[in-house]
């Protein structure tokens, strides 16, 4: 007997501008995010769904993603994993705010490295805008989530498919606000069809178990920035407060102000985990003979924070 291709796509709502409303249809800045439920977003697509796809919806959270919490991340990861385990589910779509989308994408990929697609999507204009971008992004995301052979966590925005560890918000206002740095997009969705350009995200899943059962007890990981005039004060203060991990948003190819670097080395010597990421937004970290701090090449500082957080959780969960 021929095996049936799964056709159900589950859309998980978390809020964002894609679910936002404004008092005026021409106001794409002074609106309120996270006002409409995920069912209302899906309703805009009636009659315009990819052939043969059945949708299910679930509201996991309703927030402006600038206010994302570890508890919501934990809940989202558990719901994504539960739906992925269902044979009839082809893939998941997560509607999300643009502001921390790159962090959630990184979190889900490193945690789950799913064999089915998990597609984050968002919008730069609220749902009530004159020319809202959300419905097209949602439609494209469903196309990718239902695509046979798709896998891993990706973001679908403005027709581009970005890998979870490459994606970053690169513009504050344009509809095409996301980029993949040097890696470039995984593919493009054109007229309801995916044109793939390179491989899906891959990797080893850290596994849900590392999260434990209380997000309030996750390690504290902070980001500090290297900049002109930087000194050791912020790092020393965070160490006194008992910080567990520090990501430094480094200049250029990975350099850190000497005063800040000295403080980070001292922190590292006391057992604080330290990771460097470039604040530039594209390009690798460039290795140097005198590097003293480990590097997270290719990740934004916010994604490097997710990486360090998960590494610390995994270390804590190890037998
Ligand atoms: C948010 O990130 O939730 C608000 C901003 C946006 O979605 O563009």
């Amino acid at each position: 007997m021929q095996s049936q291709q799964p056709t159900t796509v589950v859309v998980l709502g978390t809020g964002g501008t894609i679910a936002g409303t404004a008092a005026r249809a021409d106001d794409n800045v002074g609106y309120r995010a996270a006002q409409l439920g995920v069912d209302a977003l899906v309703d805009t697509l009636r009659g315009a769904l990819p052939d043969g796809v059945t949708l299910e919806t679930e509201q996991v959270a309703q927030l402006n993603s600038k206010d994302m919490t570890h508890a919501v991340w934990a809940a989202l990861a558990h719901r994504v994993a539960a739906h992925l385990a269902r044979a009839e589910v082809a893939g998941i779509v997560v509607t999300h705010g643009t502001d921390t989308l790159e962090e959630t994408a990184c979190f889900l990929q490193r945690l789950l490295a799913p064999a089915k697609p998990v597609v984050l999507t968002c919008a730069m204009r609220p749902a009530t805008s004159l020319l809202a971008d959300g419905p097209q992004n949602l439609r494209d995301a469903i196309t990718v989530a239902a695509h046979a052979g798709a896998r891993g966590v990706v973001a679908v925005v403005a027709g581009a498919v970005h890998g979870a560890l490459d994606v970053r918000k690169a513009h504050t206002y344009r509809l095409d606000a996301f980029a993949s740095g040097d890696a470039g997009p995984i593919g493009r969705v054109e007229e309801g069809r995916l044109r793939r350009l390179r491989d899906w995200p891959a990797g080893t899943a850290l596994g849900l178990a590392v999260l434990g059962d209380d997000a309030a007890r996750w390690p504290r990981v902070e980001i500090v920035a290297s900049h002109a005039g930087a000194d050791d004060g912020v790092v020393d203060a965070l160490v006194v407060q008992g910080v567990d991990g520090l990501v430094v948003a480094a200049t250029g190819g990975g350099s850190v102000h000497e005063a800040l670097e000295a403080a980070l080395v001292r922190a590292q010597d006391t057992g604080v985990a330290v990771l460097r990421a470039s604040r530039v937004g594209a390009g690798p970290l460039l290795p140097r003979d005198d590097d003293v701090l480990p590097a997270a090449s290719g990740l934004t500082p916010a994604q490097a924070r997710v990486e360090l957080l998960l590494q610390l959780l995994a270390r804590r969960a190890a037998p």
Side-chain angles (χ1 to χ4, degrees):
M1 203 173 75
Q2 229 180 349
S3 69
Q4 195 79 28
Q5 189 71 35
T7 54
T8 299
V9 170
V10 182
V11 185
L12 302 179
T14 71
T17 294
I18 191 168
T21 56
R24 284 194 344 248
D26 62 347
D27 183 359
N28 293 320
V29 177
Y31 62 89
R32 293 176 65 193
Q35 299 300 303
L36 302 177
V38 65
D39 286 328
L41 306 188
V42 162
D43 275 347
T44 62
L45 299 183
R46 292 287 169 229
L49 287 177
D51 284 345
V53 170
T54 305
L55 288 188
E56 284 180 23
T57 58
E58 183 179 327
Q59 195 76 44
V60 174
Q62 185 67 306
L63 45 70
N64 184 320
S65 80
K66 73 179 175 57
D67 301 323
M68 182 56 70
T69 66
H70 291 169
V72 170
W73 270 353
L76 179 62
H78 278 97
R79 294 314 296 146
V80 167
H83 286 297
L84 287 178
R86 296 167 51 203
E88 73 277 22
V89 170
I92 311 279
V93 170
V94 179
T95 58
H96 199 285
T98 62
D99 285 342
T100 57
L101 180 143
E102 72 199 51
E103 297 171 56
T104 301
C106 181
F107 175 77
L108 292 175
Q109 174 63 26
R110 292 287 289 118
L111 197 64
L112 303 174
K116 293 177 182 177
V118 175
V119 185
L120 278 73
T121 195
C122 56
M124 291 297 285
R125 291 179 180 159
T128 53
S129 171
L130 204 53
L131 291 170
D133 51 331
Q136 184 68 52
N137 286 344
L138 181 56
R139 211 278 189 189
D140 290 347
I142 293 167
T143 296
V144 175
H147 187 84
R151 64 171 192 279
V153 180
V154 298
V156 171
V157 193
V161 184
H162 302 281
L165 306 187
D166 306 314
V167 68
R168 67 249 0 243
K169 191 170 179 181
H171 202 277
T172 57
Y173 186 73
R174 282 200 312 242
L175 300 190
D176 193 1
F178 285 81
S180 284
D182 284 352
I186 286 175
R188 302 214 169 258
V189 185
E190 293 153 348
E191 296 296 311
R193 282 207 177 77
L194 173 67
R195 178 165 60 95
R196 194 150 66 82
L197 303 171
R198 61 183 183 85
D199 275 350
W200 298 103
T204 307
L206 290 167
L208 277 179
V210 303
L211 300 184
D213 52 15
D214 184 2
R217 294 182 52 244
W218 288 7
R220 181 170 174 201
V221 181
E222 298 289 347
I223 301 174
V224 296
S226 188
H227 51 81
D231 64 24
D232 53 5
V234 175
V235 169
D236 289 346
L238 287 167
V239 171
V240 168
Q241 285 184 24
V243 74
D244 300 293
L246 287 168
V247 168
V248 56
T251 38
S255 53
V256 178
H257 190 293
E258 57 187 356
L260 188 63
E261 187 172 77
L264 289 164
V265 169
R266 285 199 301 277
Q268 204 170 230
D269 289 345
T270 69
V272 176
V274 178
L275 204 51
R276 261 179 319 131
S278 176
R279 67 181 207 184
V280 171
L285 289 196
L286 307 168
R288 287 192 335 221
D289 289 345
D290 58 350
D291 281 338
V292 285
L293 301 171
S297 201
L299 299 182
T300 66
Q303 288 172 322
R305 180 187 169 279
V306 172
E307 174 63 30
L308 189 54
L309 175 66
L310 289 173
Q311 281 178 17
L312 291 172
L313 281 166
R315 203 179 295 171
R316 196 186 263 184

